[in-house]
Amino acid sequence: MEVVKEKSDISKLVENQIYGDIELKNAQIEWKGTGNVLYCVGKIQLENCKLRFTGNHSLIYFDENLYPFSIDIRVGNDSVFYLGKDCYLNKTSHMYATERKNILIGNQCLLSFECYFRTADPHLIYDTKTKQRLNFSKSILIGDHVWIGQNALLLKNTVIGSGAIIGGHSVVSGKKISSNTIYAGNPIKKIRSHVFYGKHMSTHDFDLEQEHNSEILDIDDYCYEQDKYTVDFVQIDKQLQQFHTVFEKIDYIQKELTNYQYKNRFFID
């Protein structure tokens, strides 16, 4: 097993690779397999977190971010975890992209405390009559500027459009969530449509003037609609699963995610 706890450990890697600039503060990266890549755009700050590659030929890709990450990530064989630009993760979130499936998260997303994402169940369930497996793993896809509330659990085959909000302690499984909606509960249900949230800011310490000034936010920055730049997020995920090498996946991510920065790219009706 290869382990990186300090920058000086990176030069000792033989079977796996790190690309880009990372800063480690009480953080650890582990590789049990070979041919895996941690790819960083810009300087990535990892604080109080653990990244685990438990299989072969998998990818963790961090786009450039202003904020440090406190995150627990596990990727299995041939899986991808992608985090877009300037996402804010509040305390530790737990991400498990396994059984050759992916977790893709867009730009400017906000994750509250202790969120869990899982592409696999992971224990197998079979039909008593046919003996066929029932619970196949599937990817999780999150658009841009999505807010995930505290202790939310996102399970396989969840697709969330840009601008959506998921309430705290919600369970989302196999759902397609429309852009600019609020969903919450267990089982999850729609609470409201035609909503957006502002930039990463907290109301906890607002004074009276700040509270008054927050009553109206007259912008359209986070109001999404379908246009000629909207893409099929599910098809991007399917294409990623067709590639045989990590570097093919990196090239595809750079083209279809990192460099494709149109506002309405991940709108979902």
Side-chain angles (χ1 to χ4, degrees):
M1 183 171 73
E2 294 185 317
V3 178
V4 168
K5 294 182 178 180
E6 301 177 354
K7 272 194 171 184
S8 59
D9 295 329
I10 297 175
S11 61
K12 302 173 186 176
L13 292 173
V14 176
E15 302 289 347
N16 304 280
Q17 299 177 71
I18 294 178
Y19 289 88
D21 186 11
I22 60 171
E23 179 179 305
L24 301 166
K25 184 177 180 180
N26 191 30
Q28 181 168 312
I29 309 165
E30 296 179 356
W31 291 266
K32 291 185 178 179
T34 63
N36 301 290
V37 174
L38 169 60
Y39 193 95
C40 304
V41 180
K43 186 174 184 179
I44 299 299
Q45 305 170 70
L46 303 177
E47 295 186 5
N48 304 313
C49 64
K50 190 172 188 178
L51 313 183
R52 294 178 291 159
F53 293 83
T54 57
N56 304 312
H57 310 298
S58 284
L59 170 66
I60 295 177
Y61 188 115
F62 293 125
D63 211 333
E64 57 186 336
N65 263 271
L66 299 172
Y67 312 101
F69 298 141
S70 174
I71 191 169
D72 169 28
I73 302 175
R74 175 181 176 179
V75 288
N77 288 296
D78 302 304
S79 295
V80 173
F81 175 85
Y82 171 85
L83 188 65
K85 290 180 171 65
D86 295 334
C87 292
Y88 184 79
L89 282 60
N90 199 341
K91 300 297 183 183
T92 302
S93 292
H94 308 267
M95 308 286 171
Y96 300 93
T98 57
E99 201 181 6
R100 299 178 305 283
K101 297 301 181 284
N102 308 317
I103 296 175
L104 309 179
I105 302 173
N107 298 338
Q108 296 184 349
C109 288
L110 173 59
L111 276 66
S112 190
F113 302 88
E114 297 289 336
C115 297
Y116 280 82
F117 291 21
R118 289 180 173 271
T119 64
D121 286 340
H123 303 294
L124 302 181
I125 300 174
Y126 294 88
D127 185 278
T128 58
K129 295 180 180 179
T130 66
K131 311 304 181 186
Q132 292 183 334
R133 181 180 173 183
L134 299 176
N135 60 336
F136 290 95
S137 299
K138 295 183 179 180
S139 296
I140 296 171
L141 311 176
I142 312 296
D144 298 322
H145 198 71
V146 171
W147 178 7
I148 309 293
Q150 182 174 343
N151 292 110
L153 173 60
L154 274 62
L155 299 175
K156 60 186 181 179
N157 203 29
T158 291
V159 182
I160 301 179
S162 295
I165 300 168
I166 305 298
H169 293 268
S170 297
V171 177
V172 193
S173 179
K175 291 285 189 180
K176 181 179 284 188
I177 306 297
S178 299
S179 293
N180 295 117
T181 59
I182 298 176
Y183 275 73
N186 181 13
I188 199 167
K189 62 180 181 179
K190 184 189 290 187
I191 305 300
R192 185 164 181 168
S193 301
H194 308 295
V195 299
F196 71 92
Y197 76 96
K199 293 184 178 180
H200 303 330
M201 63 178 69
S202 172
T203 63
H204 290 311
D205 297 318
F206 269 14
D207 59 25
L208 185 61
E209 181 179 2
Q210 289 172 310
E211 182 181 347
H212 175 74
N213 291 336
S214 71
E215 291 179 2
I216 295 177
L217 183 58
D218 189 13
I219 62 173
D220 292 318
D221 300 39
Y222 310 119
C223 302
Y224 298 92
E225 61 184 3
Q226 186 161 358
D227 62 18
K228 64 180 181 180
Y229 300 110
T230 303
V231 297
D232 189 334
F233 209 174
V234 174
Q235 287 303 314
I236 289 176
D237 172 62
K238 288 182 178 179
Q239 184 60 54
L240 265 179
Q241 295 179 47
Q242 301 303 311
F243 294 119
H244 298 294
T245 72
V246 171
F247 293 100
E248 287 178 310
K249 293 179 181 181
I250 291 172
D251 289 342
Y252 184 75
I253 284 172
Q254 289 176 337
K255 177 183 176 183
E256 300 295 336
L257 296 177
T258 302
N259 297 328
Y260 194 83
Q261 293 295 308
Y262 298 102
K263 172 185 173 182
N264 293 309
R265 58 181 184 164
F266 300 136
F267 169 81
I268 292 179
D269 194 0

